[in-house]
Amino acid sequence: MSFSLFWRRGITEQIIPERSGTAFRLSKGETLVVIDPRGEQVADLLAFDAGDIREVISSGRTFDYAETIYLTKGHKLYSNRSNVLLEIVEDSVGRHDFLLTPCSVDTFDHFYPALDRHRGCFGNLAAALESYGVTPDMIPTAFNCFMNVPVDGDTGKLRVLPPISKAGDHISFRAHRDLIIGLTACSAPDSNGGSFKPIAYRIER
Amino acid sequence: MSFSLFWRRGITEQIIPERSGTAFRLSKGETLVVIDPRGEQVADLLAFDAGDIREVISSGRTFDYAETIYLTKGHKLYSNRSNVLLEIVEDSVGRHDFLLTPCSVDTFDHFYPALDRHRGCFGNLAAALESYGVTPDMIPTAFNCFMNVPVDGDTGKLRVLPPISKAGDHISFRAHRDLIIGLTACSAPDSNGGSFKPIAYRIER
């Protein structure tokens, strides 16, 4: 579902069209740069250990070790086995979400009953990751790049607001393991202010 | 790892000794009452669909539908497949955690390097759930009854403070499905102010 956009310093930049997803290998030591080309768009990211896909990023382990729910440059994304899979090495936005699971047919029914049903980021990730052996039940809470979910510290109440990312903003992750990555251009109106847009990415070696 | 304490209104109350865990079946329509008998203790709770243990409670789905990170009476705990597994029907405390994964050998190494290693709630849950076919990698973020994890809404920073539960406080869950439950008396010093204590529970039909 992605195609080459152009070459920049010899590195191919890929585009994920609006409301779709893709999956690919990321080798240990490589850096994945996720770019919001037009601004205010969300990209749900998953990372599985390429050698054993039962090991996957874990919001609960990551929050525990990072001691914060808002992750940015310098933070590491831990797996369910307490190993570091990815490290955030650059972040021009500073606001992402690791609380919420990818939107799905069911969340569309719940939040957007008047809209056409859509398989959402969950369905897009499941389809893209199927050839790597990942089944839908193996999809955990994703790291939602650029997603803006403020939490009221007193009441716990959360809101899903448009991202604060501007056109060209990015977040970069260095792989600490050989990984299988799932990545989307989000399908849910609330996540991006009702404006569906593509996501770009590139892999730096 | 649990034994009968006494009879109350014909219902057997079970005790989970300090730093241990148990697993049991909870049938659709039954209510699980989790009690903090001495106060300021945490109980990590997991729920799997008894008919297909690949379906399990999901913090990410639950936060999304509840629109809050703090769950109390009236809130439902959703599965990774967007089905309601448990509903909170009583809550005398009002502060629980669904952000953090159960403590484990690895979190003991990280947070308590000077203490003896302990398999923690994660190891206790894995051992108790093994006979039901649950493997360690299938253990997601638990619903941590009585765990007190305030979050700073501006910075996202979280802290693990002693529970606000007093002796005899409880939280009750009604089962919407036939379930396999995992439940612990927490092993991590920070979760309970450094004082390890038992947890009690009973099943009401």
Side-chain angles (χ1 to χ4, degrees), chain A residues 52 54-55 58-70 78 80-82 95 99-104 106-107 110-111 122 136-139 141 150-160, chain B residues 52 54-55 58-70 78 80-82 95 99-104 106-107 110-111 122 136-139 141 150-160:
Chain A
D52 184 348
R54 294 172 301 181
E55 183 163 6
S58 163
S59 58
R61 285 270 172 256
T62 300
F63 291 156
D64 205 7
Y65 290 125
E67 301 182 44
T68 179
I69 62 169
Y70 294 138
Y78 285 83
N80 53 333
R81 298 182 189 171
S82 282
R95 174 54 66 95
L99 292 170
L100 304 181
T101 34
C103 56
S104 69
D106 301 299
T107 59
H110 181 92
F111 290 108
F122 187 86
D137 287 325
M138 295 168 69
I139 295 178
T141 299
V151 173
D152 183 307
D154 294 324
T155 65
K157 192 163 172 54
L158 60 83
R159 292 176 299 159
V160 177
Chain B
D52 185 348
R54 293 172 302 182
E55 182 162 6
S58 163
S59 57
R61 285 271 173 253
T62 300
F63 290 156
D64 204 6
Y65 290 125
E67 301 183 44
T68 179
I69 62 169
Y70 295 138
Y78 285 83
N80 52 333
R81 297 182 190 171
S82 283
R95 175 54 67 96
L99 292 170
L100 304 181
T101 34
C103 57
S104 69
D106 301 299
T107 59
H110 181 92
F111 291 108
F122 187 86
D137 286 325
M138 295 168 67
I139 295 179
T141 299
V151 173
D152 184 307
D154 294 324
T155 65
K157 193 163 172 54
L158 60 82
R159 291 176 300 158
V160 178

Side-chain angles (χ1 to χ4, degrees), chain A residues 12-23:
Chain A
T12 308
E13 200 157 282
Q14 310 285 332
I15 288 287
I16 305 173
E18 62 179 44
R19 306 186 99 183
S20 74
T22 189

Side-chain angles (χ1 to χ4, degrees), chain A residues 94-155:
Chain A
R95 174 54 66 95
H96 315 277
D97 171 67
F98 207 6
L99 292 170
L100 304 181
T101 34
C103 56
S104 69
V105 164
D106 301 299
T107 59
F108 268 79
D109 287 347
H110 181 92
F111 290 108
Y112 314 107
L115 298 186
D116 287 342
R117 297 181 94 197
H118 193 280
R119 68 181 183 179
C121 288
F122 187 86
N124 286 329
L125 287 165
L129 289 161
E130 185 178 10
S131 65
Y132 294 100
V134 175
T135 63
D137 287 325
M138 295 168 69
I139 295 178
T141 299
F143 184 83
N144 305 305
C145 306
F146 315 125
M147 192 172 185
N148 183 13
V149 183
V151 173
D152 183 307
D154 294 324
T155 65

Side-chain angles (χ1 to χ4, degrees), chain A residues 1-203:
Chain A
M1 291 294 279
S2 64
F3 56 89
S4 174
L5 179 64
F6 55 85
W7 290 81
R8 183 193 296 182
R9 296 192 303 276
I11 297 166
T12 308
E13 200 157 282
Q14 310 285 332
I15 288 287
I16 305 173
E18 62 179 44
R19 306 186 99 183
S20 74
T22 189
F24 50 88
R25 288 180 179 273
L26 185 72
S27 297
K28 181 178 177 178
E30 290 181 338
T31 298
L32 169 65
V33 184
V34 180
I35 303 147
D36 184 356
R38 299 189 201 163
E40 295 193 16
Q41 174 60 314
V42 167
D44 290 8
L45 180 146
L46 292 174
F48 299 80
D49 186 297
D52 184 348
I53 55 172
R54 294 172 301 181
E55 183 163 6
V56 61
I57 55 167
S58 163
S59 58
R61 285 270 172 256
T62 300
F63 291 156
D64 205 7
Y65 290 125
E67 301 182 44
T68 179
I69 62 169
Y70 294 138
L71 303 161
T72 185
K73 182 176 176 175
H75 285 124
K76 294 164 180 170
L77 305 191
Y78 285 83
S79 76
N80 53 333
R81 298 182 189 171
S82 282
N83 296 309
V84 177
L85 297 191
L86 290 167
E87 178 177 351
I88 303 174
V89 292
E90 283 186 52
D91 180 8
S92 70
V93 179
R95 174 54 66 95
H96 315 277
D97 171 67
F98 207 6
L99 292 170
L100 304 181
T101 34
C103 56
S104 69
V105 164
D106 301 299
T107 59
F108 268 79
D109 287 347
H110 181 92
F111 290 108
Y112 314 107
L115 298 186
D116 287 342
R117 297 181 94 197
H118 193 280
R119 68 181 183 179
C121 288
F122 187 86
N124 286 329
L125 287 165
L129 289 161
E130 185 178 10
S131 65
Y132 294 100
V134 175
T135 63
D137 287 325
M138 295 168 69
I139 295 178
T141 299
F143 184 83
N144 305 305
C145 306
F146 315 125
M147 192 172 185
N148 183 13
V149 183
V151 173
D152 183 307
D154 294 324
T155 65
K157 192 163 172 54
L158 60 83
R159 292 176 299 159
V160 177
L161 299 183
I164 62 173
S165 48
K166 308 296 183 198
D169 270 332
H170 70 282
I171 179 171
S172 303
F173 305 86
R174 183 176 301 138
H176 282 233
R177 292 271 187 96
D178 290 343
L179 300 171
I180 306 298
I181 299 290
L183 191 65
T184 72
C186 187
S187 310
D190 284 354
S191 300
N192 46 40
S195 159
F196 307 118
K197 283 165 281 195
I199 285 290
Y201 71 93
R202 65 174 184 267
I203 296 173

